[in-house]
Amino acid sequence: MTEDRLRELVSESFSAFHDETREALAELAVIAPEAAATLRVLVEELRDPRVHGFGIDPDVASWLRDASDGLGHLQDTAPLLLNAARDLRHLQDSVHLLQSATEGLRGSADIAMAIRAGADQLMQAEGLIMQLKQAAAELRRARGEY
């Protein structure tokens, strides 16, 4: 909604209010002329922009402007959001598959830790094997075997 359109709507609203009020006051003047005269004064005050600023609270107007500024990017980003939503439509079909895969991976952390511990033990064993090979070579040399 543009600022011009908002002004137009507010103006139309006040014109409609004025027309309806004028008609109602004319009918009231037939029954109670003094009450109608008093109400005419009040209605004219309501129409005076110096008194009420066209009925729009400045704080509300500021808030509306800030809100509209915050939404200004939508005309640029709405097509991107629409395309993203279209691209993600297939996910509802994949949810059960993803859930099953997730449940299948629940024990994976424990398995990974066990594999790592086994790998650590193998690394230690490899070091022992190397030490045993060196010791065997030294024994052979000591016996005179090469």
Side-chain angles (χ1 to χ4, degrees), residues 105-131:
L105 292 173
R106 276 202 179 134
S108 296
D110 294 336
I111 293 170
M113 289 178 68
I115 290 173
R116 182 174 179 165
D120 288 344
Q121 288 177 353
L122 283 174
M123 292 296 284
Q124 291 173 355
E126 186 177 356
L128 289 173
I129 291 171
M130 293 299 286
Q131 289 176 354

Side-chain angles (χ1 to χ4, degrees), residues 28 33 41 45 55 68 86 93 120 132:
L28 181 62
V41 171
E45 284 184 17
S68 70
R86 285 183 181 151
D93 300 332
D120 288 344
L132 286 173

Side-chain angles (χ1 to χ4, degrees), residues 52-74:
H52 295 286
F54 293 102
I56 298 176
D57 181 345
D59 292 335
V60 172
S62 175
W63 179 79
L64 287 171
R65 182 179 184 114
D66 291 345
S68 70
D69 289 345
L71 296 173
H73 65 85
L74 284 181

Side-chain angles (χ1 to χ4, degrees), residues 79-92 94:
L80 296 172
L81 292 172
L82 177 64
N83 289 336
R86 285 183 181 151
D87 290 344
L88 295 175
R89 272 190 288 189
H90 71 282
L91 284 183
Q92 65 185 5
S94 306

Side-chain angles (χ1 to χ4, degrees), residues 4-145:
D4 290 338
R5 179 67 180 138
L6 180 60
R7 283 186 183 145
E8 183 181 319
L9 289 173
V10 169
S11 178
E12 288 173 7
S13 175
F14 276 104
S15 293
F17 169 76
H18 181 64
D19 293 342
E20 291 173 10
T21 306
R22 190 176 345 117
E23 291 171 14
L25 287 175
E27 291 177 20
L28 181 62
V30 173
I31 303 167
E34 290 179 18
T38 303
L39 285 174
R40 268 194 198 98
V41 171
L42 292 173
V43 168
E44 289 304 315
E45 284 184 17
L46 285 174
R47 291 190 66 222
D48 186 355
R50 293 172 294 158
V51 175
H52 295 286
F54 293 102
I56 298 176
D57 181 345
D59 292 335
V60 172
S62 175
W63 179 79
L64 287 171
R65 182 179 184 114
D66 291 345
S68 70
D69 289 345
L71 296 173
H73 65 85
L74 284 181
Q75 86 184 54
D76 297 329
T77 56
L80 296 172
L81 292 172
L82 177 64
N83 289 336
R86 285 183 181 151
D87 290 344
L88 295 175
R89 272 190 288 189
H90 71 282
L91 284 183
Q92 65 185 5
D93 300 332
S94 306
V95 169
H96 296 295
L97 178 63
L98 291 170
Q99 185 177 8
S100 297
T102 303
E103 288 174 3
L105 292 173
R106 276 202 179 134
S108 296
D110 294 336
I111 293 170
M113 289 178 68
I115 290 173
R116 182 174 179 165
D120 288 344
Q121 288 177 353
L122 283 174
M123 292 296 284
Q124 291 173 355
E126 186 177 356
L128 289 173
I129 291 171
M130 293 299 286
Q131 289 176 354
L132 286 173
K133 282 183 180 180
Q134 287 175 349
E138 288 179 21
L139 278 174
R140 274 186 251 144
R141 260 187 257 133
R143 287 186 179 173
E145 304 170 11

